[in-house]
Amino acid sequence: GHNLLRRTILAHYSPRLDGEVVLPPVSQNTWFKYDAGNTTTEENQLTHIRAMPALGVETFWLDAGWYEGGWPNGMGNWVPNAEHFPRGLKPLAEEAHKQGLNFLLWFAPELVNSASRIARDHPEFVLRWEGFQKGDGLFNLGAPAARAWLTDHLSGCIRDWSVDIYRTDFGGQPLLYWQKKDEPDRQGITENHYIAGLYAMWDELHRRHPRLVFDDCAS
């Protein structure tokens, strides 16, 4: 029975590119070496990219910390740290592709730090309540306008920086945000809309970028 299930998943549900099942690549990142990604720069990452093929690496992985504010305070600032990446992230992708590598980029788009751009410019997109998770909020994917904005933003990042693998992380506790949003006799409505919105966003990103590989993580 277990073997039949595995064969069914492999035959009918496993994602494919060019007819081949997408397999986890041999990847490498330098997150721990550079202070949880906060001291990564264009220069030091290019140095590592050029050394990776000789090690058998297939994918260059840029993890958390590449954005304004760094890890963890920059959650919600999905723009490169201009001091560390003055030309943006495209030069990293170009060098990775030159070396025969894929470019994997880390996001955690559902988490919003209270001091971030999203919290400041679009507070209407954020579910929040005082006294929880140091004032951080949850991006409300159940709101159509919010979801459309985030989809466009992520799609632009993927396009402009030539991202091959979109790694989406999530290290928060969404249930309490959803429950606080709902009235007592409507518990579950926000969660329902949120999860439907999450999958709708992934579907749209896949439609716009049919060769994009999705790498899901939830710490």
Side-chain angles (χ1 to χ4, degrees):
H2 286 292
N3 287 337
L4 286 174
L5 175 61
R6 293 189 184 100
R7 290 170 190 160
T8 300
I9 292 172
L10 185 63
H12 300 287
Y13 297 98
S14 297
R16 282 174 163 77
L17 281 178
D18 301 326
E20 299 293 327
V21 174
V22 176
L23 299 176
V26 177
S27 58
Q28 183 179 13
N29 74 64
T30 59
W31 196 73
F32 293 100
K33 179 177 177 62
Y34 292 104
D35 184 28
N38 292 321
T39 58
T40 54
T41 65
E42 177 181 324
E43 182 180 9
N44 62 41
Q45 294 305 287
L46 288 175
T47 298
H48 285 285
I49 290 170
R50 291 166 185 148
M52 287 179 181
L55 302 174
V57 174
E58 300 170 318
T59 292
F60 162 62
W61 171 350
L62 185 62
D63 209 280
W66 54 267
Y67 37 81
E68 287 181 2
W71 167 264
N73 296 328
M75 309 290 273
N77 290 329
W78 305 115
V79 294
N81 182 327
E83 182 179 347
H84 294 177
F85 300 99
R87 298 189 295 162
L89 301 183
K90 187 65 177 288
L92 302 185
E94 290 176 339
E95 186 61 33
H97 295 154
K98 179 181 176 181
Q99 298 295 331
L101 306 173
N102 289 317
F103 176 37
L104 181 156
L105 186 60
W106 181 99
F107 289 90
E110 297 168 71
L111 301 180
V112 182
N113 185 275
S114 57
S116 69
R117 287 191 181 205
I118 289 175
R120 182 178 67 248
D121 298 343
H122 295 286
E124 72 279 12
F125 293 167
V126 184
L127 296 173
R128 60 183 307 115
W129 53 283
E130 296 302 325
F132 184 58
Q133 292 191 356
K134 300 180 181 179
D136 289 349
L138 182 70
F139 196 94
N140 188 9
L141 289 171
R147 183 176 70 252
W149 182 92
L150 185 59
T151 303
D152 287 342
H153 183 76
L154 292 175
S155 181
C157 295
I158 291 163
R159 179 194 65 235
D160 296 344
W161 305 334
S162 299
V163 175
D164 302 296
I165 303 176
Y166 163 71
R167 180 172 176 82
T168 182
D169 200 348
F170 185 82
Q173 302 178 50
L175 180 60
L176 294 176
Y177 290 104
W178 297 332
Q179 291 174 335
K180 286 286 186 178
K181 176 70 172 175
D182 292 338
E183 296 298 327
D185 62 344
R186 296 281 287 172
Q187 286 294 310
I189 294 299
T190 298
E191 178 181 3
N192 183 301
H193 292 168
Y194 186 100
I195 296 302
L198 173 64
Y199 284 118
M201 184 175 76
W202 286 355
D203 284 344
E204 180 61 17
L205 289 175
H206 184 260
R207 187 191 69 80
R208 297 186 193 183
H209 310 278
R211 298 191 63 81
L212 183 68
V213 173
F214 289 73
D215 180 23
D216 298 338
C217 173
S219 59

